Structures are given as structure tokens and as C-alpha cells.
Amino acid sequence: MFRQTFRSLAVRNFRLFVMGQTFSVTGTWMMLVAQDWLVLSLSGDSATQLGLVTALQFAPVLLLTLHGGTLADRWDKRRLLGAANAVAGLLAALVFLVAVGPGLRLWHIYVFATALGLLTAVEAPTRMALVGEMVGVELLPNASALSGAYFNVARMVGPALAGLLIGRLGAASVFLLNAVSYGATVASVALMRECELRPALPHTDRRRRNSGVTAGLRYVLRRSDLLLPLALLAIVGTFGFNFQLTLPVLAKAEFGTSPASFGLLSSALAAGSLGAAFVTTARVRRPTAGVVIGASVLFGLCEIASGLAPTFALTLVALTATGFGAGYFAQATNHRVQLGSDGRYRGRVLALYVVIFQGSTPLGALPLGRLVEAEGPRSGLLAGGLITLAASAVALMCVRRSAPPVYRLTGAVGDGLNTLHGRHPGHVRRSVLRGTQRAGGAAGRRGRGGLGGRLRGR
């Protein structure tokens, strides 16, 4: 069981990648907690200002990640990832130098958040596409789930450590540690063996005409099986995944807790997502649309429960369940999109996934910030859960309407038609089945044993 769960770690390059990313992402989550706490302290607990910082951080992801995915498909992903992390480390060091002085202002954080968003637009699709090159298609579901596991370990440990450090050493210390943590990713990609990577295209073919943003969008638009989960993710990401906005206000305004307790709320959410990541390591094939929709329903219900929890302790429990629902939904969507994509377009498809997953956040941050400021922090969680349930219902109706009719067939002819049904376009399948029904009806009139007696609509 243990060996099966961690089977992709047998690949040396992926082991190095996971070790570097665990340290780096832990530092990033620590920095995000410190950043939010500084914004609330400098703005007098303004949810609107916190929403503005969130929007500034994620707006570049929304606008530029598709171009970042194009860079990932054209250039060496390993070197691109190392360069992005090196620049991010320099930015965090600059914020530390400003924060230790007496002149820290909100606009400093605005600039840093925007610059970090620009780097994320390149780093995120590059990092996700590099995983496939390290482990290959056969280990991709397991490696993707383990990537979610280290991300959630970092999201669980990082905020808790940040809460302790902010209370004892101040927020500036967190930015310094984050600057150092980026070096772990830079070192890990430098130590990888390039000869063991499995690029989808040779280096000489990466700048072909089909490597542009438009070609990637056309590819996705032709694939309805990719469009539906991405559309559902857009709605859930916009209104349901704004925890960076709702949790700080919930901790400070609703429960009046310390920075350490605020870190516990984020850690509870991450603990649930970590459990979902380990559950999905057992996945070996592409999840169905029904799995994706069912996961979104689970997440919506749990988020509503988090908004209704009356005490801090019950909120921790509800947020753990919410984290599990969010993690399972994110992994199911990621696996359905990534395992259904042509390797030549994977960087751009994953860039679109990142645009929707992270870039949709600023679309909901400002209106949710106003809602939370007017109605209280619980309203943000309740609104996110209700909108998620509504979107899930619409997605389910779309799947049912687009599903072709299924027929129960027996015998050798039935096996052949079932195979044809799964491999040919819908209009061919329908014409073949209509012809089979007509032939079966004639045979059925001639005798009970004909094909018509064995064809049943379902």
C-alpha cells in the first residue's frame, strides 16, 4: 500500500522536485499569511483592502498565464522554473528589507503582490507541465496527486509556523524565510538529470506554428470533455475558493483570535486537502465528468457547513471537511483535463487550468469583500457554497443532455457495435445504431431469436 501510494517517487528527478517544492511552497504559504496580516494591520481590518491585494496578486495570473503556458511549451521547463523561483526569492528579500524599516506602506505590498502574480503566471503552468516530463503518462495521476499532497502539507504547516513567527518575531522574519525557501526549488531543478526527462516534443520542434496561445485555445474549444470541467472550475474558483479573503476576517473579526489561531484555520483547510490528495494517489485512469461534479457538490455542502459553524472548534472541523472537498474537486478536475490533453498542447491547457483555478479569484475577491464587510465573514462562505451547488446542478444537466443514447446489445454483433460506439464520432454511432435497429426489427419479425429481440433502449 505504501509503495503504491508513493510509486512516482521512485523517479529521481521527481524526488528532487518534491523536496525542493515542499520547502519553497511552505515558505510561500508563510509569506501569504504574513502579507494578509500586514494588510489588515495597516488598513484597520479592511476586508476591501484585503480583497484589493488578492485581486492584484491574481490578476496577472488571469491575464498572462496563457502566455506563460506558451513559454512552457516552447522553452526548457526546468530552466524556466528555476529562473522564476530565483526572481521570486529576490522580491521576497526586498520586502523583508522594507518591512524591517519604519516606512512600510500598503502600496509596497500592492507592488509586491502584483510582481508575484506576474511570476506565478509563468511558474505555475511550467511547474505542472514539468511533472509529466519527469514521470511520463503512466505515473502522471500518482505524481499529480503527490504534488497536491506536498502543496497541502506546506499549506498546513506554513500558516501555523507563520502565526507563531508573526507573534514572536514580526512579519518581516517570515518574508526573509520565504526568500531563502525559493532557493530549494532552484537547487532541485539544477540537480535534475536532463537526459531522463520526457518532453512531448523535441527541442527543435517546440517553436512550431501550433505553439501559440490561439492554437491552444482552439484545441480546448474543440474538446467538450475539457470545457465542462474548466467551466465548473471557473465558477467554483471565483466564488468558492476565496479563503484567502474570508479566513483572515473570520479569525480576526468574528472570533477575535490571535495570529496563531488564524494559522490554525488555514491549516485545518489544508489538512482536509491533504487527505484528498492521498486518496487520489490510487487513481490510475482519467476520472469521469460525474466524479468531477460529485466532488463539487461535496465541496459546496462542506463550505456551507463552515459558514454555519457557531464556534471556533466546530469551524475547524467544518473547514477540514471543506478542504477535503476542495482538494478532491481540484484533483479530479486536474486529472480529467491533464490526462485528456495531447502532450503537444499540455502546457497551454494547464495554463488555462491555472488561469481559471487561480485567476478567477480576483473576479470574486472584490464583490465578496464588499459582501463580507456588509454582512459579516460567514456570508462569504455561505455565498460560495450556494453558488457552487447551483453550478454543479447546471453542469449535471449539461452532461445528461449531451450524453448519447446507450443500447444494450448481446452476442458477437453487440460486442462489435459497443466497440464502434466507443471509438467513432457521435453522428457515425447514431447512424450505425439506427441501421442496426431497422435490420434488427426486420429480423425480429421473422423470428424471436433475431437481433431485434436483443436490442433494448436504456
Side-chain angles (χ1 to χ4, degrees), residues 238-268:
T238 300
F239 299 102
F241 283 176
N242 269 284
F243 298 110
Q244 190 176 349
L245 167 65
T246 54
L247 293 190
V249 183
L250 187 70
K252 199 168 186 181
E254 180 74 14
F255 294 116
T257 58
S258 64
S261 297
F262 163 49
L264 284 178
L265 291 178
S266 297
S267 297

Side-chain angles (χ1 to χ4, degrees), residues 73 200-201 208 210-211 219 341-349:
D73 281 336
L201 288 174
R208 299 186 312 176
N210 71 345
S211 62
Y219 172 75
S341 303
D342 189 321
R344 295 170 298 173
Y345 297 91
R346 187 165 292 142
R348 281 158 289 171
V349 173

Side-chain angles (χ1 to χ4, degrees), residues 257-333:
T257 58
S258 64
S261 297
F262 163 49
L264 284 178
L265 291 178
S266 297
S267 297
L269 191 72
S273 297
L274 177 63
F278 280 121
V279 167
T280 54
T281 57
R283 181 173 289 144
V284 295
R285 60 178 60 88
R286 190 185 185 206
T288 65
V291 171
V292 175
I293 295 172
S296 68
V297 171
L298 173 64
F299 166 70
L301 292 173
C302 292
E303 188 170 25
I304 291 172
S306 297
L308 295 175
T311 65
F312 185 81
L314 289 177
T315 300
L316 288 176
V317 175
L319 282 175
T320 303
T322 302
F324 183 90
Y328 198 89
F329 170 70
Q331 287 292 326
T333 306

